[in-house]
């Protein structure tokens, strides 16, 4: 699929051929969205009106269906970015006497550790290097040795690098050891399939503005109903209490506090686009193709990826900075930005890197245009060798 330029500015003629476009967001989110998804926000909704209550109910149901979790789980949306939803989930599901084992191989694993510190929840970390996936066997032995651990928190795709953690195997180990699994599926939900029957979890957390191709401002957790029912009073926060948020929605369909009405309407539309595209498998295939085009094209130019291909998720790619002294990330970024492509700085601690995302309403045409822009930029900078200092 090749998505059409999709972001219009005020005054542009959507029917015209020469539409000025917003920059493509080759980032881990917010991402480029379709014109129709943005246009879905062009109304005002009363938050207590039946039309909006229905919309919330529909979006909650559709999100549950995406992971086939309708039988045992409920979907609890929460205002804010993805971190708000992760914080609400840990704060609500982990009781004060609980202990969390966090699998860390990047920033988002470390963020869950930070949340445990803020909330005073006992925790420990099982860490692998940023280019190495979490290790289910090591997890199994830590759980066997530490009966105090009640919850395991794992990141599906660690967006710091784009590495895919083996969530199916992790879930099996956690279920086998009879602990509770919390999955941060922020950057995979909607593109890399998880089936609640095959990957048992007590909570899976994501947000509207990544692979679902919705707008930022809304997170959600898919939580095992029976665990949520037993979590009343755990949350140390008023607004980030998933149990109370859920009770409010169940009692009268209304949000406890002002909902991001427009963002929910946009997500409702974005979910229809996901269906029309062919669901999670088709979206994952488009991102896979995007990723392939970028990997081949950048490698042909001499860039070296920070990850081995067998652990790379088709979400975001991390590249080692060229050793050529004429390469300067800020100049590279600004030059690409002028051409209409926004990339991301690297976040790895092990090397100087930059990242290029392959999610959002973008397809083959935009990926090839990205490669052309990188090529012209490198030439303009006078960089003749894109290989890095170290491998
Ligand atoms: C895996 C993962 N977890 C958590 C987050 C945090 O989300 P937010 O920045 O929306 O708070 C992100 C954001 O990129 C992410 O990729």
């Amino acid at each position: 699929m090749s998505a059409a330029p999709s972001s219009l500015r005020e005054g542009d003629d959507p029917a015209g051929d020469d539409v000025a476009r917003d920059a493509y967001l080759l980032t881990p989110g917010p991402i480029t969205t379709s014109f129709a998804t943005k246009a879905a926000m062009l109304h005002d909704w009363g938050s207590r009106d039946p039309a909006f209550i229905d919309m919330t109910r529909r979006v909650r149901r559709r999100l549950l269906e995406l992971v086939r979790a309708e039988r045992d789980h409920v979907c609890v949306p929460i205002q804010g970015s993805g971190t708000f939803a992760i914080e609400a989930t840990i704060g609500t599901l982990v009781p004060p006497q609980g202990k969390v084992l966090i699998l860390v191989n990047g920033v988002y694993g470390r963020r869950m550790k930070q949340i445990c510190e803020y909330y005073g929840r006992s925790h420990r970390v099982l860490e692998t290097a940023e280019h190495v996936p979490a290790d289910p066997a090591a997890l199994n032995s830590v759980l066997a040795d530490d009966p105090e651990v009640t919850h395991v928190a794992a990141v599906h795709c660690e967006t710091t690098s784009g590495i895919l953690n083996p969530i199916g195997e992790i879930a099996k180990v956690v279920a086998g050891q009879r602990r509770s699994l919390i999955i941060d599926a922020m950057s995979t939900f909607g593109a890399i399939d998880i089936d609640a029957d095959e990957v048992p979890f007590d909570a899976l957390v994501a947000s509207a503005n990544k692979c679902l191709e919705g707008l930022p401002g809304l997170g959600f957790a898919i939580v095992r109903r029976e665990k949520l029912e037993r979590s009343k009073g755990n949350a140390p926060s008023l607004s980030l209490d998933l149990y109370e948020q859920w009770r409010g929605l169940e009692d009268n369909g209304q949000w406890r506090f002002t909902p991001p009405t427009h963002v929910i309407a946009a997500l409702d539309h974005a979910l229809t686009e996901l269906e029309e595209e062919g669901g999670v498998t088709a979206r994952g295939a488009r991102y896979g193709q995007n990723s392939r085009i970028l990997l081949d094209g950048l490698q042909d130019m001499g860039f070296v990826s920070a990850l081995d291909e067998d652990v790379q998720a088709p979400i975001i790619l991390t590249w080692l900075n060229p050793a050529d002294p004429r390469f300067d990330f800020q100049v590279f970024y600004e030059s690409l930005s002028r051409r209409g492509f926004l990339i991301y700085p690297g976040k790895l601690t092990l090397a100087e890197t930059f990242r290029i995302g392959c999610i959002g309403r973008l397809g083959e045409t935009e990926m090839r245009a990205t490669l052309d822009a990188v090529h012209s930029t490198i030439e303009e900078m006078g960089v003749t060798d894109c290989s890095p200092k170290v491998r």
Side-chain angles (χ1 to χ4, degrees):
M1 177 230 159
S2 163
S6 52
S7 298
L8 305 181
R9 300 195 180 103
E10 200 182 346
D12 287 340
D13 170 10
D17 287 336
D18 55 347
V19 163
R21 63 167 177 86
D22 293 340
Y24 295 138
L25 304 182
L26 302 158
T27 67
I31 39 76
T32 298
T33 55
S34 74
F35 179 71
T37 293
K38 286 184 275 283
M41 293 190 293
L42 295 176
H43 301 278
D44 298 312
W45 288 268
S47 63
R48 303 190 186 285
D49 188 70
F52 180 70
I53 289 174
D54 277 354
M55 191 195 289
T56 299
R57 199 173 287 131
R58 183 168 60 246
V59 166
R60 289 177 63 207
R61 179 181 43 75
R62 295 174 98 180
L63 293 172
L64 269 184
E65 285 169 0
L66 283 178
V67 283
R68 269 94 64 216
E70 307 93 301
R71 194 186 57 230
D72 297 330
H73 296 72
V74 294
C75 174
V76 191
I78 191 126
Q79 299 92 330
S81 83
T83 305
F84 290 57
I86 302 263
E87 189 166 328
T89 303
I90 291 177
T92 306
L93 290 192
V94 181
Q97 66 282 11
K99 179 172 177 181
V100 190
L101 171 62
I102 307 154
L103 301 179
V104 172
N105 53 357
V107 168
Y108 298 107
R110 284 196 281 277
R111 189 169 296 171
M112 294 200 280
K113 176 180 188 317
Q114 216 183 353
I115 291 169
C116 288
E117 283 162 4
Y118 263 76
Y119 281 4
R121 293 293 186 259
S122 172
H123 59 279
R124 64 183 285 185
V125 162
L126 181 61
E127 187 155 4
T128 46
E130 287 167 334
H131 62 297
V132 177
D135 179 355
L139 169 65
N140 196 38
S141 31
V142 173
L143 290 179
D145 287 349
D146 191 345
E148 282 183 4
V149 171
T150 52
H151 294 72
V152 173
V155 183
H156 191 193
C157 167
E158 181 44 90
T159 327
T160 312
S161 62
I163 198 168
L164 192 65
N165 283 314
I167 206 65
E169 289 171 65
I170 291 168
K172 275 199 190 77
V173 168
V174 176
Q177 295 274 357
R178 301 188 172 283
R179 317 297 166 91
S180 187
L181 178 63
I182 298 173
I183 303 175
D184 170 350
M186 204 68 68
S187 60
T188 54
F189 193 94
I192 302 184
D193 194 38
I194 287 191
D195 183 320
D197 281 330
E198 284 161 27
V199 179
F201 60 81
D202 282 346
L204 181 144
V205 189
S207 71
N209 62 282
K210 295 198 193 289
C211 302
L212 293 176
E213 300 187 355
L215 278 300
L218 177 72
F220 57 89
I222 310 254
V223 192
R224 194 177 293 281
R225 187 186 295 102
E226 123 251 346
K227 292 290 165 79
L228 193 56
E229 278 164 356
R230 284 198 266 137
S231 67
K232 184 176 167 63
N234 281 349
S237 161
L238 172 70
S239 54
L240 298 182
D241 185 335
L242 270 196
Y243 174 86
E244 294 300 339
Q245 183 89 344
W246 173 58
R247 283 314 329 154
L249 286 165
E250 292 293 311
D251 288 347
N252 57 11
Q254 294 178 10
W255 293 60
R256 280 188 305 158
F257 309 123
T258 304
T261 44
H262 298 67
V263 178
I264 294 158
L267 179 58
D268 195 26
H269 179 80
L271 288 167
T272 300
E273 288 193 354
L274 176 61
E275 265 169 39
E276 287 168 357
E277 186 171 355
V280 171
T281 310
R283 178 145 306 170
R286 172 161 57 89
Y287 292 171
Q289 188 192 30
N290 287 353
S291 159
R292 189 70 264 156
I293 293 170
L294 290 181
L295 280 167
D296 289 346
L298 285 158
Q299 276 161 4
D300 283 351
M301 286 182 228
F303 286 98
V304 173
S305 163
L307 290 184
D308 288 341
E309 277 199 25
D310 58 342
V311 298
Q312 174 74 64
I315 303 295
I316 192 162
L317 310 172
T318 301
W319 299 93
L320 300 171
N321 283 0
D324 189 317
R326 280 159 296 203
F327 182 85
D328 175 301
F329 174 76
Q330 203 49 37
V331 176
F332 185 57
Y333 174 89
E334 281 163 17
S335 171
L336 283 174
S337 163
R338 272 197 310 281
R339 291 173 159 85
F341 301 84
L342 296 189
I343 63 163
Y344 238 49
K347 265 191 178 181
L348 293 196
T349 48
L350 55 89
E352 298 273 308
T353 55
F354 66 91
R355 290 180 292 169
I356 303 193
C358 36
I359 63 175
R361 201 79 194 147
L362 301 170
E364 181 177 349
T365 309
E366 293 74 27
M367 293 302 119
R368 298 213 181 278
T370 303
L371 291 175
D372 289 345
V374 169
H375 193 262
S376 316
T377 296
I378 287 296
E379 254 180 19
E380 184 182 274
M381 290 169 78
V383 173
T384 51
D385 180 0
C386 294
S387 59
K389 234 181 277 160
V390 280
R391 279 216 65 174

